[in-house]
Amino acid sequence: MAGKWGIEHAVFVAATAATVVGAVVGNERVQQIAKPLIAPALAARVLRKRSETETADTALLLAGLAAATVGDVFMIDPDNDARLIKGASSFAVMQASYSALLLRRGARPTRAALRPRISGWSTASGLLRAKAPSVSTPLTGYGLMLGTTSTLSADPALAPQSKAVLDVVVPNKDRRSWLGLGGVLFTASDGLIVVRRLFIRGTAGRAAAEGVILASYAGAQLMLVEGMLALGRKKSV
């Protein structure tokens, strides 16, 4: 299930590194060039593996990554509320695509996964209503979609025979085992968006937080896409 790394992964790593550096140093032009390449690099991976992957899964992954690309463009300026809302809407489409694929592959919510995600979503929702009412409704709605994907990706049945620690499957050479951590990283990344908006005021601190958000987001995308490709692999391959 390991699979080989390809040129698309090199593009993904380079685009991610440039995007993170651009965010930390405040160079928006670098982000405008590099950030829209992150999801397409993974889409190239999906296309390269399409002969090995169920057609419906390929379509769902490509739809999700197309929506992620749109969202990435909107989120280049994370402090613009109008762009933030559009970005969240685009990422909601991505999360819906990912959740649909996971459901197709038998993922189901577990009690262990639901509890912390419901708690985190409720806390973030309350903070947004109190401190950022202008964006609380769309971000709370997006949070539900994210929570769905994260909960489903945590189902240990997706990676049979893989070890779990604190209810999270430990990643190993079977890339299906990457799904749980990918969902956790995505949740942490988007949770930090809320923290950055509501509580971090200094320019340097906000730039550093944005760098962490982008790095964890890219890591989550890689782990989820690779894990879902492994889930959708044709049995005959």
Side-chain angles (χ1 to χ4, degrees):
M1 292 267 181
K4 294 181 179 179
W5 299 107
I7 186 65
E8 65 273 18
H9 291 112
V11 174
F12 169 83
V13 170
T16 298
T19 300
V20 170
V21 171
V24 172
V25 304
N27 190 325
E28 188 171 303
R29 180 59 180 161
V30 169
Q31 292 187 75
Q32 289 171 344
I33 295 170
K35 194 176 184 184
L37 297 177
I38 293 175
L42 295 177
R45 170 71 167 174
V46 173
L47 286 171
R48 195 160 70 85
K49 291 291 183 180
R50 65 188 182 279
S51 64
E52 304 172 17
T53 312
E54 294 288 346
T55 301
D57 292 342
T58 296
L60 286 167
L61 281 169
L62 291 176
L65 290 166
T69 303
V70 175
D72 280 341
V73 171
F74 282 127
M75 294 287 284
I76 288 173
D77 181 359
D79 298 317
N80 182 310
D81 282 357
R83 295 179 69 88
L84 178 64
I85 291 170
K86 291 176 181 178
S89 299
S90 299
F91 280 114
V93 174
M94 180 207 73
Q95 300 292 1
S97 296
Y98 287 2
S99 291
L101 189 154
L102 292 168
L103 285 168
R104 286 190 78 248
R105 290 294 151 193
R108 296 296 181 266
T110 63
R111 189 172 300 176
L114 274 170
R115 282 196 299 263
R117 287 161 177 81
I118 290 174
S119 176
W121 174 79
S122 299
T123 300
S125 177
L127 287 170
L128 286 168
R129 282 198 305 270
K131 296 181 174 292
S134 62
V135 297
S136 66
T137 297
L139 293 190
T140 297
Y142 167 72
L144 279 175
M145 302 301 296
L146 166 64
T148 300
T149 299
S150 182
T151 300
L152 291 172
S153 69
D155 185 356
L158 296 175
Q161 302 179 341
S162 293
K163 188 185 303 182
V165 175
L166 298 177
D167 299 317
V168 177
V169 174
V170 178
N172 55 58
K173 65 180 181 180
D174 180 350
R175 292 187 184 179
R176 295 175 299 178
S177 69
W178 297 9
L179 288 163
L181 184 55
V184 170
L185 275 176
F186 223 126
T187 303
S189 177
D190 285 358
L192 187 53
I193 291 175
V194 176
V195 172
R196 178 185 181 277
R197 179 186 175 87
L198 301 183
F199 300 110
I200 301 177
R201 297 292 175 230
T203 301
R206 290 174 68 81
E210 184 67 10
V212 175
I213 288 167
L214 291 166
S216 54
Y217 158 73
Q221 285 281 32
L222 177 66
M223 299 189 91
L224 286 170
V225 169
E226 289 293 334
M228 288 186 285
L229 280 173
L231 280 179
R233 188 161 292 133
K234 294 176 181 177
K235 292 182 180 179
S236 60
V237 176

